[in-house]
Amino acid sequence: MNLLQEEREIIVQNEIANNEIIFELKKHLATYMIPSKIFYKKSLPLVPSDRNKINKEILKEDIINNI
């Protein structure tokens, strides 16, 4: 793994329960901004031509497949 990939990864020591995430979001966001579902992904799909942009089409497909 090269340095560029390491910078993009988020390492989580312990998996956080969904209700803990929702609890914290409710402290800072309006009710209509709280997500109804939370998906865990190891990494986000990136656009091949620009490794700094998220490939929204593939991400949308992943979300649809997980519902």
Side-chain angles (χ1 to χ4, degrees):
M1 182 184 308
N2 65 33
L3 182 60
L4 189 59
Q5 288 175 325
E6 289 177 0
E7 291 174 2
R8 291 190 179 129
E9 289 186 8
I10 299 172
I11 299 170
V12 178
Q13 296 290 333
N14 299 320
E15 191 171 314
I16 302 169
N18 287 354
N19 59 351
E20 291 178 43
I21 295 171
I22 298 296
F23 178 76
E24 290 298 321
L25 290 174
K26 285 181 179 180
K27 290 181 186 178
H28 304 283
L29 298 174
T31 305
Y32 70 92
M33 298 176 79
I34 306 297
S36 59
K37 293 185 180 183
I38 297 173
F39 297 98
Y40 294 93
K41 290 192 64 66
K42 185 174 180 177
S43 62
L44 294 174
L46 302 176
V47 175
S49 60
D50 185 354
R51 303 299 287 175
N52 293 319
K53 292 184 180 178
I54 296 171
N55 190 331
K56 295 177 185 174
E57 292 175 15
I58 292 177
L59 184 59
K60 197 181 300 184
E61 288 174 13
D62 287 349
I63 292 171
I64 290 169
N65 291 334
N66 283 324
I67 293 179

